[in-house]
Amino acid sequence: MSRVSSRPTNGARRADIQMLLATVIWGSSYLFMKSGLESMQELNLVAFRFAIAFIAAAVIFHRRLFRMDLRTLIAGAVMGTALFAAFVFITYGVQRTTTSQAGFLISLAVIFVPILTTIIHRRMPDTRLMLSIIVAVTGLGLLTLQHELSLHTGDILCIVAALIYAIYIMIAGKFTPKHDPLTLGTVQLGVAAIWGIAATFLFESPRLPDSPESWAAILGLGVLCSGIGYILQTLAQRHASPTRTSLIFSLEPLFAAAFAFSFQGETLTLQGYTGATLMLVGVLITEIKAVELMFWRRKQPSIPSELGERGAPGV
């Protein structure tokens, strides 16, 4: 019996490490986006980051792509389309708000997931979800309404991005367990790149980065944040419940704020820090059940997960 139970434990530990590494990488993505947007337009940046990520992943996993079936291609296309839509709003939002504030706002995706699930299944939200929404919305108000009673454009775009990313999370939670994660992750990057290139030619003037700093930012976004980050996520979700990975992802805004403070000297007011803390508390309230289930499964490993519809976002 101990031999059987040790396997999922080892897999879960590996998944935790993979997701934590991806979360740290995604925390740095806001800095890269800020730097890249100094010389490129938003859609152009999205196209570059996903094109570079796809090329890197395709070179490494090309043999898997040749063995891909139609169902995996369709699943990857759906995920890639949702991913592209989310990142259009993320990139426009980051350009119009602070780095740390964008990280906290986009983390609302973890709360939007149970809200959407409740709506889809037409059931009343439980007390924990209602409490998390109240706490998170209070924190959102303190974080964004510091000087006037109105949301700025960048804040609104980041909130919309979080909602779209929540939809992506749910789609990924459905498809990832059914397909090879490396192939699926590579296909979604390619589809997002195709959408980005098409949108760039339609709505912007395509251009290359014009400085070493811009090239470094684009390569960081492409190889690290998009390529390695999303491959790590798909690998992690094969061995851990989506709820468990979303709990780890809730640390991302802390890493984003840490990077913004370290490299840009960016700080929040006391009211802003209070709001950010309440937002994190609201996110964590939705994940308390995941922690309870983790400890309970150690005693009763036969109990199945009841929260398999959740997932982990990232930028």
Side-chain angles (χ1 to χ4, degrees):
M1 180 175 294
S2 60
R3 182 177 300 177
V4 174
S5 62
S6 64
R7 291 181 180 178
T9 301
N10 293 334
R13 289 176 180 173
R14 189 183 308 113
D16 287 348
I17 295 173
Q18 291 168 342
M19 199 63 228
L20 181 60
L21 180 58
T23 301
V24 175
I25 292 173
W26 287 333
S28 68
S29 66
Y30 301 97
L31 284 180
F32 287 133
M33 279 189 278
K34 282 281 191 182
S35 178
L37 288 169
E38 292 179 0
S39 63
M40 302 179 70
Q41 292 179 282
E42 290 84 356
L43 295 175
N44 201 1
L45 179 69
V46 173
F48 255 98
R49 72 175 290 175
F50 284 116
I52 292 173
F54 171 71
I55 292 171
V59 169
I60 299 173
F61 306 120
H62 63 278
R63 293 183 179 179
R64 293 174 181 265
L65 291 177
F66 289 136
R67 298 195 300 267
M68 175 179 56
D69 57 23
L70 181 59
R71 295 177 63 185
T72 302
L73 177 61
I74 294 174
V78 174
M79 289 175 58
T81 300
L83 189 65
F84 166 75
F87 269 90
V88 169
F89 282 92
I90 289 174
T91 307
Y92 276 98
V94 168
Q95 176 75 320
R96 292 159 177 81
T97 189
T98 64
T99 301
S100 55
Q101 195 154 304
F104 285 107
L105 292 175
I106 294 171
S107 70
L108 286 173
V110 182
I111 289 181
F112 283 143
V113 170
I115 294 175
L116 292 174
T117 302
T118 298
I119 295 173
I120 291 173
H121 293 285
R122 297 180 181 179
R123 62 173 182 240
M124 292 296 294
D126 58 20
T127 304
R128 180 183 290 107
L129 177 56
M130 292 300 298
L131 179 61
S132 70
I133 294 172
I134 293 172
V135 173
V137 170
T138 302
L140 174 64
L142 290 174
L143 179 64
T144 58
L145 306 178
Q146 298 189 47
H147 304 293
E148 53 188 15
L149 295 179
S150 62
L151 289 172
H152 295 288
T153 302
D155 299 330
I156 296 173
L157 290 172
C158 287
I159 294 172
V160 174
L163 177 60
I164 298 176
Y165 206 95
I167 297 173
Y168 165 77
I169 289 171
M170 298 175 70
I171 294 173
K174 177 180 179 180
F175 287 134
T176 301
K178 301 177 181 179
H179 302 276
D180 174 61
L182 297 177
T183 305
L184 194 63
T186 303
V187 171
Q188 73 168 353
L189 294 174
V191 171
I194 291 173
W195 280 116
I197 293 170
T200 300
F201 278 94
L202 284 174
F203 303 109
E204 295 179 353
S205 299
R207 58 178 298 181
L208 295 173
D210 58 5
S211 68
E213 292 78 12
S214 295
W215 273 111
I218 296 300
L219 290 174
L221 282 173
V223 177
L224 285 176
C225 303
S226 299
I228 296 178
Y230 280 99
I231 294 298
L232 285 172
Q233 178 192 352
T234 53
L235 286 173
Q237 287 193 255
R238 295 283 287 187
H239 299 285
S241 68
T243 301
R244 185 184 181 104
T245 56
S246 65
L247 176 62
I248 298 175
F249 169 74
S250 64
L251 297 173
E252 187 203 4
L254 296 180
F255 291 122
F259 280 115
F261 175 77
S262 301
F263 295 98
Q264 292 183 325
E266 191 176 287
T267 59
L268 297 173
T269 64
L270 178 60
Q271 177 181 327
Y273 280 117
T274 303
T277 301
L278 286 176
M279 286 183 63
L280 283 178
V281 171
V283 168
L284 291 174
I285 288 174
T286 66
E287 309 301 340
I288 290 175
K289 201 164 191 176
V291 179
E292 294 174 353
L293 287 174
M294 278 188 280
F295 284 105
W296 181 252
R297 285 195 200 103
R298 292 180 181 178
K299 299 180 180 180
Q300 303 289 337
S302 62
I303 295 179
S305 173
E306 59 186 79
L307 298 172
E309 72 272 19
R310 304 282 302 281
V315 295

